[in-house]
């Protein structure tokens, strides 16, 4: 999604991902072709343009190990400089930029702890907040007098509070909904009004069992909930003039785009193409651009008339055929719930077909009708592609998202197994050639399923997973330890049995299927060290296990490395499940 300058609307910055890596481009729409910025390094999406349009800010995290620094490059070209030389290196936890040159950044510093640093227009940089609890910078008021933070000092990283500081670090006001009523309240996104003198913040709340919006007036403390007539979850942000909110609506894997006029409380639908809206931005003149993709079309940026504004520089002719459109399903479960998901059948393969169950990461995420090169590659390799929005997934209300808490991993796999049994009974997938695969949290679930349900899977493929939850908790950064404490109801020392019960390493002796494990050498979220004990136990039993330590952090370091990871998986599946070879 392009990031526009607030006062120089002809200047923006955006990124493109291809097999060679992520490349950032500066662009003056209508005046020139996009120009690459070769000096920008790293694999993250942390690149911003200053409101004045003078500078591009970017987080220098070349190896993806979350130990970088904020740098600043002139938009017109020139040497990059350390933007906050007095701040420590660490993991990026949000950046807010002001019109006059004020900047506020939060960092997760090595060894634990979090700091917030403020850069004044005169170039002075100072620490305005330090603490052990996770904190994130969410915004800076238009007059640059107030800083909006999200913090977890109340003890639950899944339920952060909003806190507003002045530029000296003094607390002005705080808002926290608490943890109660059986559901956890979560305020992950918030932003100030862009109008000077308007101290309102728009944020999400979950007071009625789904994600809705509220407006919070910082000076008075007044909170106004916005009861929108939409059945699913919503997120939104102010338009450039502050008169309206641009809202993305998600319900059961589908999306919509709306403009909510604040003065009249009128909700206006912005008609979009069939597919998935993944983000929206307000142009300086108030119009909306949004990122969109579908199962058969790679991501593009469209305007309100559904016309492409930006399309990928390469690969635009590689749109998939109509047979790649996934079909939704709902599987009845023994719990009485209905498990949602999507299935895409391979072309030219008789039923029942071999199937790969691709488990999404997160777990706060979901699969829908967005473009997935990974899913298309598996389908081309002869697999039915099954994606399950198991309990823990977003987009289906708070109760569904939080249903996996307390017994981590088990509820998710119960849903996956129920879907497998349903598809087998309907003759769609071959019970002897079902593969379990995923990355990050999906990779963790794949390894857990390999031990808990060995009879269900012909082979298991996990990328960047947690293999040993006990070891992982001790090795992961404090921000993830805080998130784990919220999921498990305590730390490793407080509830050790819950961590052992959820750990794939606890069931390593039960693994029967051939197993592929891919780990990034610079991964700090799921450190490679925590896989060693798990691998040793498998190898001691003579298990069929293949391990690859590859370049990159929690994700691939480049498009080339991402393709390498995918090739490893498809080659492994071809050898172990006897499907056709992958040849892009």
């Amino acid at each position: 999604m392009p990031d526009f300058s607030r006062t120089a609307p002809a200047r923006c910055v955006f990124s493109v991902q291809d097999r060679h890596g992520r490349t950032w481009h500066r662009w003056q729409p209508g005046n020139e072709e996009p120009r690459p910025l070769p000096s920008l390094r790293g694999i993250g999406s942390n690149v911003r343009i200053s409101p004045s349009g003078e500078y591009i800010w970017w987080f220098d995290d070349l190896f993806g190990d979350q130990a970088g620094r904020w740098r600043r490059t002139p938009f017109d070209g020139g040497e990059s400089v350390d933007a906050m030389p007095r701040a420590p290196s660490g993991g990026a936890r949000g950046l807010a930029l002001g019109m006059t040159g004020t900047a506020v950044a939060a960092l997760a510093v090595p060894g634990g702890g979090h700091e917030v640093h403020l850069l004044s227009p005169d170039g002075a940089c100072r620490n305005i907040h330090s603490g052990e609890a996770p904190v994130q910078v969410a915004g800076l008021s238009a007059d640059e007098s107030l800083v909006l933070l999200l913090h977890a000092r109340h003890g639950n990283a899944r339920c952060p509070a909003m806190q507003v500081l002045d530029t000296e670090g003094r607390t002005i006001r705080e808002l926290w909904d608490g943890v109660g009523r059986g559901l956890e309240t979560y305020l992950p996104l918030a932003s100030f009004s862009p109008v000077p003198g308007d101290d309102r913040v728009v944020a999400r709340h979950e007071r009625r069992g789904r994600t809705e919006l509220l407006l919070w007036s910082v000076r008075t403390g007044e909170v106004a909930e916005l009861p929108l007539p939409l059945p699913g979850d919503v997120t939104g942000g102010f338009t450039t003039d502050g008169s309206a909110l641009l809202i993305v609506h998600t319900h059961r894997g589908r999306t919509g785009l709306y403009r909510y006029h604040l003065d009249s409380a009128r909700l206006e639908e912005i008609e979009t193409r069939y597919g998935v809206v993944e983000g929206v931005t307000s142009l300086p003149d108030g119009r909306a651009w949004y990122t969109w993709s579908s199962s058969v079309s790679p991501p593009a940026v469209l305007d309100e008339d559904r016309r492409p504004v930006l399309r990928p520089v390469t690969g635009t002719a590689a749109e998939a055929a109509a047979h790649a459109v996934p079909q939704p399903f709902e599987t009845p479960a023994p719990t009485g719930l209905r498990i949602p998901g999507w299935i895409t059948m391979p072309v030219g393969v008789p039923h029942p077909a071999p199937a790969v169950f691709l488990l999404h990461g997160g777990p706060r995420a979901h699969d829908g009708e967005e473009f997935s090169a990974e899913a298309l590659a598996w389908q081309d390799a002869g697999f039915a592609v099954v994606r399950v929005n198991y309990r823990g997934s977003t987009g289906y209300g708070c109760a569904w998202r939080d249903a996996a808490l307390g017994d981590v991993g088990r509820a998710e796999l119960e849903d996956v197994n129920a879907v497998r049994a349903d598809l087998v009974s309907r003759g769609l997938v071959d019970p002897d050639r079902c593969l379990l695969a995923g990355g990050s949290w999906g990779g963790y679930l794949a390894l857990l399923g390999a031990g808990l349900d060995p009879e269900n899977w012909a082979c298991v493929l996990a990328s960047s997973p947690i293999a040993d939850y006990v070891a992982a908790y001790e090795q992961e950064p404090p921000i993830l330890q805080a998130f784990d404490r919220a999921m498990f109801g305590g730390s490793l020392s407080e509830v050790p049995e819950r961590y052992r019960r959820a750990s794939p390493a606890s069931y390593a002796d039960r693994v029967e299927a051939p197993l592929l494990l891919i780990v990034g050498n610079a991964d700090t979220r799921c450190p490679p060290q925590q896989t060693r004990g798990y691998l040793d136990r498998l190898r001691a039993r003579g298990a069929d296990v293949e391990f690859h330590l590859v370049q990159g952090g929690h994700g691939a370091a480049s498009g080339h490395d991402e393709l390498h990871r995918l090739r490893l998986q498809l080659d492994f599946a071809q050898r172990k499940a006897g499907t056709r070879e992958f040849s892009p």
Side-chain angles (χ1 to χ4, degrees):
M1 173 62 67
D3 186 29
F4 281 92
S5 160
R6 196 181 307 166
T7 59
R11 294 187 169 197
C12 69
V13 61
F14 66 93
S15 71
V16 172
Q17 174 80 15
D18 61 23
R19 69 171 59 204
H20 302 293
R22 182 186 294 273
T23 56
W24 289 93
H25 299 255
R26 60 186 176 206
W27 185 35
Q28 299 188 54
N31 296 331
E32 62 173 25
E33 291 296 315
R35 291 179 292 166
L37 292 160
S39 63
L40 273 61
R41 303 177 300 176
I43 63 171
S45 58
N46 293 304
V47 176
R48 299 280 304 281
I49 190 169
S50 63
S52 66
E54 185 178 2
Y55 294 106
I56 296 171
W57 284 66
W58 54 286
F59 194 69
D60 189 357
D61 182 17
L62 178 60
F63 300 106
D65 58 359
Q66 301 182 348
R69 304 187 61 80
W70 282 106
R71 298 185 66 83
R72 190 175 65 184
T73 303
F75 183 87
D76 291 324
E79 183 180 356
S80 296
V81 299
D82 190 336
M84 291 186 165
R86 297 181 63 87
S89 297
R93 297 289 296 156
L95 173 73
L97 301 174
M99 190 73 68
T100 68
T102 303
V104 187
L107 296 164
V109 298
H114 294 76
E115 298 181 5
V116 178
H117 290 258
L118 185 143
L119 178 70
S120 301
D122 62 5
C125 183
R126 64 184 188 278
N127 185 344
I128 63 170
H129 170 85
S130 296
E132 293 299 318
V135 64
Q136 180 174 349
V137 168
L140 180 67
S141 61
D143 62 8
E144 301 178 24
S145 66
L146 301 174
V147 177
L148 177 63
L149 303 180
L150 303 176
H151 72 77
R153 288 199 301 275
H154 294 295
N156 194 314
R158 290 172 61 93
C159 314
M162 291 193 295
Q163 179 183 19
V164 175
L165 310 179
D166 64 17
T167 54
E168 299 299 321
R170 296 178 293 236
T171 298
I172 302 300
R173 198 172 295 278
E174 181 174 297
L175 178 64
W176 185 51
D177 273 8
V179 182
R181 300 185 297 278
L183 297 174
E184 299 194 12
T185 304
Y186 187 54
L187 295 166
L189 295 176
S191 61
F192 272 111
S193 164
V195 178
D198 185 354
D199 67 351
R200 290 179 300 173
V201 168
V202 61
R204 300 197 294 185
H205 72 89
E206 296 177 352
R207 297 174 176 181
R208 283 179 289 273
R210 62 189 183 94
T211 302
E212 300 178 88
L213 296 176
L214 59 78
L215 289 174
W216 179 36
S217 297
V218 173
R219 299 293 184 187
T220 65
E222 179 184 0
V223 174
E225 298 178 11
L226 304 180
L228 302 174
L230 298 171
D233 297 335
V234 297
T235 185
F238 285 100
T239 55
T240 307
D241 62 3
S243 66
L245 300 176
L246 290 174
I247 293 172
V248 177
H249 169 234
T250 304
H251 183 54
R252 305 200 70 79
R254 304 185 188 275
T255 62
L257 183 61
Y258 296 84
R259 181 182 282 107
Y260 180 76
H261 299 271
L262 293 170
D263 57 350
S264 61
R266 180 171 64 91
L267 187 66
E268 170 195 3
E269 184 174 6
I270 300 173
E271 188 174 353
T272 63
R273 291 188 183 186
Y274 182 83
V276 174
V277 175
E278 299 179 3
V280 62
T281 190
S282 175
L283 276 65
D285 63 6
R287 291 177 297 141
W289 283 4
Y290 59 95
T291 357
W292 167 92
S293 75
S294 75
S295 57
V296 298
S297 298
V301 176
L302 309 182
D303 63 17
E304 290 192 36
D305 295 321
R306 296 178 290 171
R307 296 174 301 193
V309 178
L310 285 171
R311 296 184 65 124
V313 177
T314 60
T316 54
E319 296 189 354
H323 61 71
V325 176
Q327 299 302 311
F329 63 78
E330 287 191 346
T331 293
T335 58
L337 301 172
R338 300 188 69 84
I339 306 159
W342 305 86
I343 183 170
T344 310
M345 298 302 296
V347 176
V349 177
H351 298 179
V356 58
F357 286 68
L358 283 182
L359 307 184
H360 67 71
R364 287 191 165 187
H366 65 271
D367 286 317
E369 295 174 293
E370 68 278 355
F371 185 79
S372 171
E374 180 185 21
L376 290 174
W378 280 102
Q379 184 191 27
D380 285 347
F383 287 89
V385 180
V386 183
R387 293 178 291 168
V388 182
N389 285 326
Y390 50 76
R391 276 172 285 172
S393 303
T394 55
Y396 299 86
C398 301
W400 185 262
R401 187 203 63 204
D402 294 335
L405 297 178
D407 197 6
V408 175
R410 300 293 185 111
E412 298 98 307
L413 288 173
E414 285 179 6
D415 292 347
V416 174
N417 289 331
V419 169
R420 178 190 177 279
D422 180 44
L423 297 179
V424 167
S425 69
R426 290 159 56 187
L428 293 176
V429 304
D430 184 345
D432 296 324
R433 289 191 293 170
C434 285
L435 282 59
L436 191 61
S440 189
W441 190 262
Y444 154 68
L445 292 177
L447 293 187
L448 187 61
L452 286 178
D453 311 294
E455 67 284 354
N456 283 349
W457 310 111
C459 64
V460 175
L461 310 96
S463 179
S464 302
I466 294 172
D468 185 337
Y469 227 126
V470 173
Y473 182 87
E474 296 172 338
Q475 296 166 14
E476 65 191 9
I479 181 73
L480 292 181
Q481 289 179 336
F483 195 82
D484 282 344
R485 289 194 295 272
M487 284 199 304
F488 285 93
S491 67
L492 177 62
S493 61
E494 293 168 330
V495 288
E497 188 53 38
R498 294 182 186 177
Y499 286 83
R500 283 193 286 269
R501 176 176 166 82
S503 177
S506 299
Y507 313 98
D509 293 341
R510 298 178 55 187
V511 173
E512 297 176 3
L515 191 148
L516 174 69
L517 185 57
I518 303 172
V519 175
N521 62 351
D523 193 346
T524 56
R525 300 178 71 84
C526 298
Q529 297 90 334
Q530 51 88 24
T531 66
R532 291 174 181 170
Y534 179 72
L535 284 169
D536 289 345
R537 290 179 60 183
L538 290 177
R539 287 167 173 165
R541 295 176 48 230
D544 186 354
V545 57
E546 193 171 300
F547 175 73
H548 294 271
L549 186 66
V550 297
Q551 294 294 317
H554 195 58
S558 68
H560 179 273
D561 291 339
E562 186 172 358
L563 184 58
H564 174 61
R565 295 187 185 204
L566 183 57
R567 283 185 183 278
L568 289 174
Q569 295 179 66
L570 291 166
D571 175 69
F572 186 81
Q574 194 277 329
R575 287 186 281 114
K576 302 301 180 180
T579 60
R580 62 191 183 214
E581 295 184 6
F582 171 59
S583 181

